[in-house]
Amino acid sequence: MLSKRARALKPSPTLAISAKEKALKAKGLDIAGFGAGEPDFDTPQHIKQAAIDAINKNFTRYTPASGIDELKDAVIEKFKRDNDLSYKRDEVIISCGGKHALFNLFEALFEEGDEVLIPVPYWVSYPPMVELTGAKPVLVETDEKEEYQVTPSLLKRYITRNTKAIILNYPSNPVGSVYFKENLEAIGKIAVENNLYIISDEIYEKLTYDEYEHISIASMDNAFKERTIICHGVSKTYAMTGWRIGFAAGPSEIIKAMANIQSQSTSNPTSISQMAALAALTGPQDFITVMVDEFKKRRDYLIKELTSLEGITCYNPRGAFYVFPNFNAIIGKKYKDKTIDSSTTWTEVLLEDFLTAVVPGIEFGKEGYLRLSFATSMEVIKKGVDRIKKAVGELK
Ligand SMILES: *Cc1c(COP(=O)(O)O)cnc(C)c1O
């Protein structure tokens, strides 16, 4: 018999949908795929070269479990340069992806009896990862009118004696929402007053649009920094999802606990990938601007087209590479004999009848919405948008 923990766990729905999308494509079907949670760009050449050099120099053995010092120093330099944050080596860890850093962090902090605040819509992995530790995810409903930010009054309503932490993800997956300075300030103060940890997932930091500039909550006040763990990585910024390198920074006691967990489970992240990540963080950064400019064009197109549909609204993302349109206006309508009773049915119709892959909003805790990734070519986006328009037109 499998453990209770394993029995309760579902596979990641976003990874499942992109696997289905890839399988249908492999069968020769012309799928317009909006499922991917990864940049469609290739990893820049100088980063790939660093990995090739690492192999040729036989940098292929175990490294320290928490990562090599050179990469930790590059991460420290990144936080100094981008966020004006100072960390020491024992306050940073290199993990096998940002997801792994979060997993180890949750293992290090949470246990039965703890409550963890997760703003909705959330990244799919937060609730199951919290549950694996025995702690309880507490979902905090945010409002589109507030740009999906947790406001101080909202936050206070959910805090109990058992609340241990709040997870902030900005720019966010699935919405692309961010946090304004005044909200971060207020959240930080509430965290201090209530002795909460702040888990700050800043993996999309570099992917922002228009005049918005990312501010890390840890950089606003030393009292905030003392209780914040920043989770980050190279996957999204440098188109390196397959390399599996993430990192975290925070109080040394917590980082040490994460390192212990890592040393007893995965050991070090791949030596070769660590060298590639080092080249990514210390090399030329102009690739990011090129990628962000392209993402912006795609975002603008998607927002214009989707909101031209009657009754459909969509938050204009300030960061990341997703749009999260509100399709509640079509819920209850019929496609042929099928009633569209949920975002999941709508997703099925779009995939099976219109060869368009999207992710249902309910997977992020929000019924009636869809998530579309624009980390795919303009050609695919145009084709997919035309199909969605056609599908909406055929609803009765
Ligand atoms: C992609 C993602 C991560 C982590 O990705 P890794 O590939 O594991 O580094 C973490 N948080 C959010 C919100 C993400 O979208």
Side-chain angles (χ1 to χ4, degrees):
M1 175 82 125
L2 294 173
S3 71
K4 237 190 256 166
R5 285 194 316 286
R7 275 181 281 152
L9 203 60
K10 288 190 316 173
S12 160
T14 44
L15 292 185
I17 285 169
S18 49
K20 195 166 172 183
E21 179 183 320
K22 281 177 190 164
L24 288 171
K25 275 184 190 159
K27 275 200 202 158
L29 286 171
D30 174 30
I31 304 289
F34 290 105
E38 58 182 343
D40 55 316
F41 290 76
D42 292 329
T43 306
Q45 191 55 41
H46 70 279
I47 299 175
K48 293 196 274 197
Q49 192 58 49
I52 293 164
D53 293 346
I55 294 175
N56 286 331
K57 287 181 189 154
N58 296 305
F59 192 71
T60 53
R61 299 194 165 84
Y62 289 137
T63 77
S66 63
I68 55 174
D69 282 344
E70 295 89 321
L71 183 52
K72 285 185 187 175
D73 289 347
V75 167
I76 290 168
E77 182 52 36
K78 174 249 159 310
F79 282 118
K80 186 83 225 154
R81 178 178 73 214
D82 297 342
N83 315 95
D84 196 25
L85 276 166
S86 300
Y87 288 106
K88 300 193 195 72
R89 268 192 198 157
D90 64 354
E91 294 172 316
V92 300
I93 184 170
I94 314 300
S95 300
C96 312
K99 196 184 245 180
H100 185 225
L102 285 159
F103 183 88
N104 289 343
L105 174 61
F106 291 8
E107 284 293 318
L109 285 182
F110 305 146
E111 60 199 346
E112 228 155 285
D114 291 336
E115 293 175 8
V116 181
L117 303 180
I118 304 178
V120 180
Y122 46 75
W123 182 48
V124 290
S125 290
Y126 297 140
M129 283 205 291
V130 167
E131 278 167 356
L132 274 176
T133 69
K136 184 174 143 201
V138 175
L139 305 181
V140 179
E141 276 298 331
T142 64
D143 196 329
E144 183 170 347
K145 284 195 231 60
E146 302 281 356
E147 295 209 26
Y148 297 103
Q149 297 176 64
V150 172
T151 57
S153 57
L154 183 62
L155 187 55
K156 280 184 187 153
R157 262 192 274 154
Y158 288 88
I159 293 176
T160 72
R161 282 172 36 227
N162 299 324
T163 311
K164 183 111 186 228
I166 174 162
I167 303 177
L168 300 176
N169 173 215
Y170 54 109
S172 92
N173 177 1
V175 183
S177 59
V178 298
Y179 273 90
F180 298 148
K181 212 172 167 181
E182 35 319 342
N183 274 339
L184 286 179
E185 183 97 49
I187 292 168
K189 282 188 181 144
I190 295 171
V192 172
E193 281 159 20
N194 293 277
N195 198 23
L196 309 183
Y197 288 111
I198 302 166
I199 293 166
S200 193
D201 183 344
E202 302 180 28
I203 195 128
Y204 294 101
E205 168 180 21
K206 292 289 173 188
L207 309 185
T208 62
Y209 309 111
D210 310 324
E211 71 290 354
Y212 173 72
E213 274 205 44
H214 180 89
I215 306 171
S216 173
I217 191 166
S219 69
M220 299 178 72
D221 191 315
N222 211 36
F224 301 173
K225 184 181 175 224
E226 280 168 10
R227 54 186 63 254
T228 301
I229 307 91
I230 300 177
C231 293
H232 213 308
V234 296
S235 283
K236 310 291 162 58
T237 320
Y238 302 99
M240 290 178 71
T241 45
W243 299 78
R244 309 312 303 132
I245 297 290
F247 49 87
S252 59
E253 182 197 21
I254 297 172
I255 296 296
K256 183 154 187 275
M258 291 167 70
N260 289 345
I261 293 165
Q262 203 158 293
S263 78
Q264 297 287 17
S265 51
T266 53
S267 300
N268 62 276
T270 312
S271 58
I272 300 152
S273 292
Q274 289 190 69
M275 280 306 186
L278 179 61
L281 288 171
T282 57
Q285 305 290 305
D286 39 334
F287 161 81
I288 304 170
T289 321
V290 174
M291 184 168 69
V292 169
D293 285 349
E294 179 59 30
F295 282 157
K296 186 180 177 307
K297 279 184 214 147
R298 300 173 186 176
R299 177 202 66 165
D300 292 346
Y301 178 80
L302 267 170
I303 292 289
K304 182 166 85 42
E305 294 297 319
L306 290 170
T307 55
S308 75
L309 289 164
E310 203 185 317
I312 308 306
T313 59
C314 189
Y315 171 76
N316 193 7
R318 293 177 185 269
F321 41 65
Y322 312 97
V323 289
F324 200 64
N326 181 345
F327 273 97
N328 274 298
I330 63 116
I331 301 290
K333 291 194 176 183
K334 279 190 130 170
Y335 175 71
K336 294 185 179 160
D337 292 337
K338 206 170 196 176
T339 303
I340 312 285
D341 55 359
S342 66
S343 56
T344 309
T345 325
W346 182 214
T347 300
E348 283 163 14
V349 167
L350 286 174
L351 186 58
E352 284 156 25
D353 299 285
F354 295 90
L355 303 182
T356 301
V358 301
V359 187
I362 192 63
E363 303 294 358
F364 310 92
K366 201 93 177 153
E367 190 47 281
Y369 291 70
L370 297 180
R371 190 194 77 173
L372 280 68
S373 161
F374 49 89
T376 183
S377 71
M378 200 63 178
E379 189 193 337
V380 169
I381 291 172
K382 285 188 171 157
K383 186 161 67 185
V385 163
D386 288 346
R387 290 177 185 177
I388 292 170
K389 283 185 165 174
K390 185 160 182 286
V392 170
E394 288 182 24
L395 297 178
K396 295 245 159 50

